[in-house]
Amino acid sequence: MIKTDRIEIQCPQCGHNEFEHPEKLKDNDFIKCNNCHFEIMLADLKEVGMEQAKDVIIPEAKAEAEKIFKNLFKGFK
Ligand SMILES: [Zn+2]
């Protein structure tokens, strides 16, 4: 299974996050989705993963910032 630090890369076809892949992965190796058998080159999957990570990280960071702001303003009431 390919994982980034905290976000699993999802299959661009079906959203599954387990892939079949060779032991030693190179960027130009093809890996296959365990669920829908969609094949994608590792280099491309990494890019998809980066895009997915952006979508997840930004809302999370926003929520975190909002929490911090809320706490800050509590003291001023
Ligand atoms: Zn799939």
Side-chain angles (χ1 to χ4, degrees):
M1 196 194 301
I2 295 173
K3 280 182 179 178
T4 56
D5 270 349
R6 44 185 302 209
I7 294 156
E8 285 170 2
I9 299 177
Q10 294 177 340
C11 169
Q13 284 293 97
C14 71
H16 197 70
N17 56 19
E18 285 177 36
F19 298 89
E20 259 174 50
H21 57 79
E23 284 271 295
K24 282 176 188 164
L25 268 177
K26 287 181 286 244
D27 270 356
N28 59 355
D29 280 334
F30 277 88
I31 61 174
K32 194 164 81 176
C33 172
N34 274 351
N35 186 46
C36 70
H37 307 294
F38 178 72
E39 288 189 54
I40 185 167
M41 206 185 277
L42 179 63
D44 291 337
L45 186 71
K46 277 182 182 169
E47 264 179 44
V48 170
M50 288 292 285
E51 286 303 311
Q52 289 171 357
K54 266 190 238 160
D55 289 347
V56 175
I57 286 165
I58 291 166
E60 267 181 17
K62 236 169 121 184
E64 210 41 49
E66 270 166 23
K67 251 190 260 166
I68 291 164
F69 278 123
K70 269 181 198 158
N71 285 338
L72 268 180
F73 288 123
K74 262 183 205 161
F76 292 108
K77 271 182 185 170

PDB file of all heavy atoms in Angstrom, residues 11 13-16 33 35-38, ligand 1:
ATOM      1  N   CYS A  11      -7.456   5.718  -5.412  1.00  0.00           N
ATOM      2  CA  CYS A  11      -7.572   5.398  -6.825  1.00  0.00           C
ATOM      3  C   CYS A  11      -8.401   6.484  -7.511  1.00  0.00           C
ATOM      4  O   CYS A  11      -9.489   6.814  -7.046  1.00  0.00           O
ATOM      5  CB  CYS A  11      -8.249   4.041  -6.975  1.00  0.00           C
ATOM      6  SG  CYS A  11      -8.741   3.677  -8.656  1.00  0.00           S
ATOM      7  N   GLN A  13     -10.033   6.310 -10.100  1.00  0.00           N
ATOM      8  CA  GLN A  13     -11.229   5.738 -10.699  1.00  0.00           C
ATOM      9  C   GLN A  13     -12.323   5.473  -9.673  1.00  0.00           C
ATOM     10  O   GLN A  13     -13.481   5.767  -9.896  1.00  0.00           O
ATOM     11  CB  GLN A  13     -10.900   4.393 -11.376  1.00  0.00           C
ATOM     12  CG  GLN A  13     -10.195   4.476 -12.694  1.00  0.00           C
ATOM     13  CD  GLN A  13     -11.056   5.081 -13.780  1.00  0.00           C
ATOM     14  OE1 GLN A  13     -10.958   6.259 -14.060  1.00  0.00           O
ATOM     15  NE2 GLN A  13     -11.897   4.290 -14.386  1.00  0.00           N
ATOM     16  N   CYS A  14     -11.947   4.844  -8.561  1.00  0.00           N
ATOM     17  CA  CYS A  14     -12.983   4.352  -7.655  1.00  0.00           C
ATOM     18  C   CYS A  14     -12.794   4.820  -6.212  1.00  0.00           C
ATOM     19  O   CYS A  14     -13.651   4.582  -5.371  1.00  0.00           O
ATOM     20  CB  CYS A  14     -13.042   2.825  -7.706  1.00  0.00           C
ATOM     21  SG  CYS A  14     -11.624   2.031  -6.930  1.00  0.00           S
ATOM     22  N   GLY A  15     -11.679   5.449  -5.900  1.00  0.00           N
ATOM     23  CA  GLY A  15     -11.481   5.950  -4.548  1.00  0.00           C
ATOM     24  C   GLY A  15     -10.927   4.935  -3.571  1.00  0.00           C
ATOM     25  O   GLY A  15     -10.717   5.234  -2.402  1.00  0.00           O
ATOM     26  N   HIS A  16     -10.666   3.732  -4.043  1.00  0.00           N
ATOM     27  CA  HIS A  16     -10.056   2.702  -3.207  1.00  0.00           C
ATOM     28  C   HIS A  16      -8.618   3.109  -2.887  1.00  0.00           C
ATOM     29  O   HIS A  16      -7.997   3.828  -3.649  1.00  0.00           O
ATOM     30  CB  HIS A  16     -10.069   1.387  -3.993  1.00  0.00           C
ATOM     31  CG  HIS A  16      -9.847   0.176  -3.159  1.00  0.00           C
ATOM     32  ND1 HIS A  16     -10.780  -0.291  -2.257  1.00  0.00           N
ATOM     33  CD2 HIS A  16      -8.790  -0.684  -3.084  1.00  0.00           C
ATOM     34  CE1 HIS A  16     -10.304  -1.378  -1.680  1.00  0.00           C
ATOM     35  NE2 HIS A  16      -9.100  -1.640  -2.155  1.00  0.00           N
ATOM     36  N   CYS A  33      -4.942  -0.803  -9.058  1.00  0.00           N
ATOM     37  CA  CYS A  33      -5.926  -0.699  -7.981  1.00  0.00           C
ATOM     38  C   CYS A  33      -6.459  -2.099  -7.639  1.00  0.00           C
ATOM     39  O   CYS A  33      -6.832  -2.857  -8.528  1.00  0.00           O
ATOM     40  CB  CYS A  33      -7.066   0.198  -8.433  1.00  0.00           C
ATOM     41  SG  CYS A  33      -8.441   0.243  -7.301  1.00  0.00           S
ATOM     42  N   ASN A  35      -9.161  -2.794  -6.278  1.00  0.00           N
ATOM     43  CA  ASN A  35     -10.611  -2.839  -6.363  1.00  0.00           C
ATOM     44  C   ASN A  35     -11.120  -2.863  -7.804  1.00  0.00           C
ATOM     45  O   ASN A  35     -11.815  -3.769  -8.211  1.00  0.00           O
ATOM     46  CB  ASN A  35     -11.204  -1.659  -5.597  1.00  0.00           C
ATOM     47  CG  ASN A  35     -12.700  -1.734  -5.514  1.00  0.00           C
ATOM     48  OD1 ASN A  35     -13.253  -2.781  -5.213  1.00  0.00           O
ATOM     49  ND2 ASN A  35     -13.363  -0.632  -5.806  1.00  0.00           N
ATOM     50  N   CYS A  36     -10.711  -1.867  -8.595  1.00  0.00           N
ATOM     51  CA  CYS A  36     -11.268  -1.772  -9.952  1.00  0.00           C
ATOM     52  C   CYS A  36     -10.245  -2.134 -11.017  1.00  0.00           C
ATOM     53  O   CYS A  36     -10.549  -2.086 -12.203  1.00  0.00           O
ATOM     54  CB  CYS A  36     -11.824  -0.374 -10.197  1.00  0.00           C
ATOM     55  SG  CYS A  36     -10.566   0.904 -10.331  1.00  0.00           S
ATOM     56  N   HIS A  37      -9.012  -2.488 -10.588  1.00  0.00           N
ATOM     57  CA  HIS A  37      -7.939  -2.893 -11.499  1.00  0.00           C
ATOM     58  C   HIS A  37      -7.521  -1.796 -12.461  1.00  0.00           C
ATOM     59  O   HIS A  37      -6.955  -2.050 -13.506  1.00  0.00           O
ATOM     60  CB  HIS A  37      -8.320  -4.182 -12.257  1.00  0.00           C
ATOM     61  CG  HIS A  37      -8.737  -5.275 -11.322  1.00  0.00           C
ATOM     62  ND1 HIS A  37      -7.868  -5.860 -10.441  1.00  0.00           N
ATOM     63  CD2 HIS A  37      -9.946  -5.828 -11.086  1.00  0.00           C
ATOM     64  CE1 HIS A  37      -8.531  -6.749  -9.719  1.00  0.00           C
ATOM     65  NE2 HIS A  37      -9.791  -6.750 -10.085  1.00  0.00           N
ATOM     66  N   PHE A  38      -7.793  -0.585 -12.090  1.00  0.00           N
ATOM     67  CA  PHE A  38      -7.296   0.565 -12.831  1.00  0.00           C
ATOM     68  C   PHE A  38      -5.780   0.606 -12.692  1.00  0.00           C
ATOM     69  O   PHE A  38      -5.247   0.446 -11.603  1.00  0.00           O
ATOM     70  CB  PHE A  38      -7.918   1.831 -12.238  1.00  0.00           C
ATOM     71  CG  PHE A  38      -7.466   3.115 -12.876  1.00  0.00           C
ATOM     72  CD1 PHE A  38      -7.898   3.459 -14.146  1.00  0.00           C
ATOM     73  CD2 PHE A  38      -6.646   3.994 -12.190  1.00  0.00           C
ATOM     74  CE1 PHE A  38      -7.488   4.657 -14.733  1.00  0.00           C
ATOM     75  CE2 PHE A  38      -6.240   5.192 -12.768  1.00  0.00           C
ATOM     76  CZ  PHE A  38      -6.660   5.518 -14.042  1.00  0.00           C
TER      77      PHE A  38
HETATM   78 ZN    ZN B   1      -9.848   1.658  -8.296  1.00  0.00          ZN
END
